[in-house]
Amino acid sequence: MKIWIDQLQKEHTLPSKAYYKLLTCSDADSMEYLHRQAKEVSLAQFENKIFIRGLIEISNCCRNDCLYCGIRKSNIHIDRYRLTQKQILECCQQGYELGFRTFVMQGGEDRVQSINWIENVVKEIRHQFPDCAITLSLGEMSYSDYKRLFDAGANRYLLRHETFNPTHYNQLHPKEMSAQHRQQCLLWLKEIGFQTGTGIMVGSPYQTIDHIIEDIRFIERLQPEMIGIGPFIPHHDTPFASQEAGSVELTLRLISIFRLMFPKVLIPSTTALASLGNEGRLKGILAGANVVMPNLSPSNTRKKYSLYNNKASLGAEAAEGLKLLNMQLQTIGYEISMERGDYKG
Ligand code: SAM
């Protein structure tokens, strides 16, 4: 197994059968070696610095009905909200004072917050915080809408492809949505010039190892600047309520594989990983992740952005908990970087 890991580190790609072996390997020493090599690569690129992004969850209203997601439109049990432009700018101001230089606006595909409205918010953030990066994660849009947001001053866009395989995609999404359209959106984002992030949920229902290898190949072709890998976690008010959560070990393994494939890529240690407990956030960093996205949303809406059960949003997950986060990072020899943290390819 070590031969494959060394080859991945050197050549940044492997034959599919080797990915299969890595993803199914049960030898603890080999996995420790994989994580150690990935951590070394991450340290060589970013030293012991972890970039932070202030996450603002702007709306939990969504026109989509993804079977895994707690804010899907058929969930009648959640209390829907939309932040106003004023609230978003207050979040940015609070974040700026805490030291954040990247704001991530994430939300459901909410057509009440129209493209004009989002464009105005982006322009206003760009105007008030000219030295900050603006990241959007607002789902699928047309080429021209993405272009408007880029021209308004947004720099980065996160859109996980979720799963490359069309049959698997259809098992997770309603029939109006397609893997092909999601992937097309990612190509548009790259073409327009966004630093683009994609990724998957690990352990989503019906996912197989072969699906994950298709995801690795897609990511290899896309060459994204950011890769978000988090475990699937069930939400009690969705059709997948009784499904098992994804594996932390497999998530960490994929973080390490992507770090060896793409030494410079930005990889968050995700909230979903942290939400499964046992210091998931720190384990992600030790496996090669280099970004953390603390929650900057107003405290009274955090619980309402309920994508899955027991989503972490307090303590070191919260923007106001930066000191605590830094103390936790220091226990493993890392610290927060206050830089903007752009992709440097
Ligand atoms: N609407 C935007 C989009 O579609 O990309 C952004 C919001 S969406 C809720 C953000 C991400 O949350 C999705 O890409 C998905 O991977 C993740 N997510 C949703 N439900 C989840 C669950 N039950 N477990 C883990 N991650 C989940």
Side-chain angles (χ1 to χ4, degrees), residues 271-333:
T271 305
L273 196 49
S275 300
L276 287 182
N278 290 327
E279 307 198 321
R281 185 74 97 193
L282 300 183
K283 287 182 186 165
I285 288 164
L286 291 171
N290 72 317
V291 174
V292 173
M293 295 168 61
N295 200 316
L296 252 187
S297 310
S299 45
N300 64 338
T301 61
R302 282 182 203 172
K303 283 271 169 274
K304 297 182 190 170
Y305 197 78
S306 150
L307 305 183
Y308 42 80
N309 297 336
N310 305 317
K311 179 169 155 278
S313 64
L314 302 174
E317 298 310 313
E320 61 280 10
L322 271 195
K323 263 199 190 134
L324 179 60
L325 174 64
N326 210 27
M327 274 161 51
Q328 290 182 354
L329 291 175
Q330 281 166 357
T331 64
I332 55 165

Side-chain angles (χ1 to χ4, degrees), residues 62 64 68-71 106-109 137-140 158-160 162 182 200-201 230-235 272 305 307-308:
C62 193
N64 292 331
Y68 47 83
C69 185
I71 65 169
Q106 190 183 86
E109 289 189 19
S137 177
L138 300 169
E140 297 177 34
L158 305 174
L159 184 80
R160 289 183 178 175
E162 313 295 0
R182 193 119 181 135
I200 61 165
M201 281 178 295
F232 158 77
I233 304 176
H235 183 287
Y305 197 78
L307 305 183
Y308 42 80

